[in-house]
Amino acid sequence: MEESIEQFILYLATERGLSDNYQLSTRRSLEEFATWLSSVKKITAPAGVTLGVITDYLAHSKKRGLSTSSIKLAVVAIKILFRFLLARGLIEADPAEYIPLPRAERYLPETLNELQVEQLLESISTVQPLGLRDRAMIELLYASGLRISELANARLESLLLEERIIRVTGKGNKTRLVPVGRKACEAIGEYLAKERPGMVKKRTGSEIFLSVRGTKLTTVRIWQIVKRIARHAGIEVNVYPHLLRHSFATHLLGNGADLRIIQELLGHADVSTTQIYTHVDQQRLKAVHHRYHPRARLPAGPRPDRAPPGTRGSAASSPASGA
């Protein structure tokens, strides 16, 4: 199994060009499956795997308490592995062909409200060491809805401050152009002018956001920085980088942005992924309905542009009108 997994991961990297994160996730799922096969079923080669064996593994995973989304990742990894092995002639039949994908639960994303975002940003002291960098990072995460990996990999040559645009590479190595707000541009510009030059070392690359050692910030370190800033700001909800992406989308939708535009900004391949943000806009929709629908408003006396019942047209039908 180990050799087959290595061949498959190499295929993902060289022929499919899939991201390192996807390769790591797939490898982890397959190695866990291979370990279970060896220890429980005493199977060490792909040819020994059957539909029943895979079903037993998935039942075992569910009994261990794995979430539906985690089991779905394992099923996808197993299915594409055996599809690859069959295409290469390394097995005679695909035991995973008829394994259905579990239906993942749809969790509503958490968000910060606009006041909480303001509180988070204003809590960052730009006179403290690395304050300009941290303020610029948080501003960009919220202003453009970037994923944490997109922020970590953002490069100087991809940033057009005058045009207020950043080019990012997202999932599947897909590139998109995302607008950057005025305040975020100002924060980034100040960081680039006053703080980043002093962080540059001999082997520093062109990544925008640097560590104290002059290297690219890792996603783990960005996560830690966001958590620290949130604690300092006194925000009680669980704040993490992706929460700012959720908030970005939710606030755009709440202020009237089209769902398809938000899809493009987030880099979602399918608009159904973006639609999950519509739940947070229910209050705004109710308010609009209450304001404009004639049978949703509370009674408040006759409207000035509408005559009281029984009086409409009375002037035209009075004797003085000559009718």
Side-chain angles (χ1 to χ4, degrees):
M1 282 297 296
E2 289 78 6
E3 184 179 346
S4 296
I5 292 172
E6 288 299 329
Q7 289 181 30
F8 177 59
I9 297 299
L10 183 62
Y11 160 76
L12 294 181
T14 57
E15 296 189 36
R16 295 288 302 278
L18 297 175
S19 69
D20 291 343
N21 286 341
Y22 184 85
Q23 294 173 46
L24 288 171
S25 172
T26 303
R27 177 187 289 276
R28 184 163 53 246
S29 296
L30 292 176
E31 287 179 346
E32 288 176 359
F33 178 52
T35 299
W36 180 86
L37 285 175
S38 176
S39 60
V40 177
K41 298 292 187 178
K42 311 304 178 187
I43 295 173
T44 58
V49 179
T50 64
L51 174 61
V53 168
I54 299 174
T55 303
D56 288 348
Y57 174 69
L58 298 178
H60 164 76
S61 299
K62 188 172 184 179
K63 192 177 293 185
R64 281 173 49 211
L66 260 65
S67 67
T68 305
S69 57
S70 296
I71 294 175
K72 183 177 180 179
L73 289 176
V75 172
V76 169
I78 291 168
K79 286 177 76 71
I80 57 177
L81 168 67
F82 282 103
R83 193 179 304 151
F84 163 80
L85 295 176
L86 182 66
R88 291 292 192 277
L90 300 174
I91 54 175
E92 294 182 358
D94 181 356
E97 182 178 1
Y98 298 108
I99 295 285
L101 290 177
R103 181 174 293 178
E105 308 100 328
R106 294 299 296 265
Y107 295 105
L108 298 179
E110 302 171 298
T111 63
L112 295 174
N113 60 43
E114 293 179 35
L115 289 176
Q116 288 172 319
V117 173
E118 192 72 19
Q119 179 183 347
L120 182 71
L121 290 166
E122 294 303 322
S123 73
I124 305 170
S125 173
T126 54
V127 298
Q128 295 295 322
L130 304 179
L132 291 175
R133 179 200 67 182
D134 295 349
R135 175 68 182 250
M137 284 198 309
I138 304 296
E139 287 277 11
L140 184 56
L141 281 171
Y142 175 62
S144 301
L146 302 189
R147 300 179 178 94
I148 188 172
S149 59
E150 293 169 349
L151 182 79
N153 293 321
R155 302 174 70 84
L156 294 172
E157 60 267 25
S158 299
L159 178 65
L160 304 174
L161 280 181
E162 290 186 4
E163 289 83 357
R164 296 181 184 173
I165 291 286
I166 186 168
R167 185 175 68 251
V168 296
T169 302
K171 290 184 176 180
N173 284 327
K174 292 181 180 178
T175 301
R176 69 185 190 280
L177 296 176
V178 185
V180 183
R182 177 181 56 82
K183 290 187 177 181
C185 283
E186 290 173 355
I188 295 169
E190 192 173 6
Y191 158 67
L192 293 178
K194 298 179 180 179
E195 199 167 73
R196 189 182 184 279
M199 302 171 70
V200 172
K201 302 292 190 293
K202 188 175 182 180
R203 296 188 177 182
T204 295
S206 65
E207 288 81 15
I208 296 172
F209 298 107
L210 303 177
S211 70
V212 292
R213 296 183 299 278
T215 56
K216 180 181 83 169
L217 277 175
T218 65
T219 55
V220 172
R221 183 60 187 138
I222 294 172
W223 183 287
Q224 293 170 343
I225 291 168
V226 172
K227 300 291 283 185
R228 172 177 55 78
I229 292 171
R231 283 195 303 270
H232 177 71
I235 298 176
E236 295 181 358
V237 299
N238 180 29
V239 180
Y240 47 94
H242 212 74
L243 185 68
L244 292 166
R245 178 172 162 89
H246 290 325
S247 303
F248 161 83
T250 301
H251 297 169
L252 280 176
L253 189 67
N255 285 295
D258 183 83
L259 196 65
R260 289 284 183 179
I261 298 298
I262 299 173
Q263 176 193 359
E264 292 292 328
L265 294 174
L266 292 173
H268 286 163
D270 192 329
V271 75
S272 64
T273 308
T274 317
Q275 283 174 335
I276 197 168
Y277 293 107
T278 59
H279 83 284
V280 298
D281 207 30
Q282 295 306 307
Q283 287 184 336
R284 187 181 73 89
L285 294 177
K286 287 179 181 178
V288 170
H289 180 267
H290 176 75
R291 180 178 178 185
Y292 293 108
H293 194 283
R295 299 186 68 83
R297 290 188 295 272
L298 293 173
R303 281 172 47 178
D305 61 340
R306 185 170 296 174
T311 63
R312 181 176 298 174
S314 57
S317 60
S318 66
S321 67

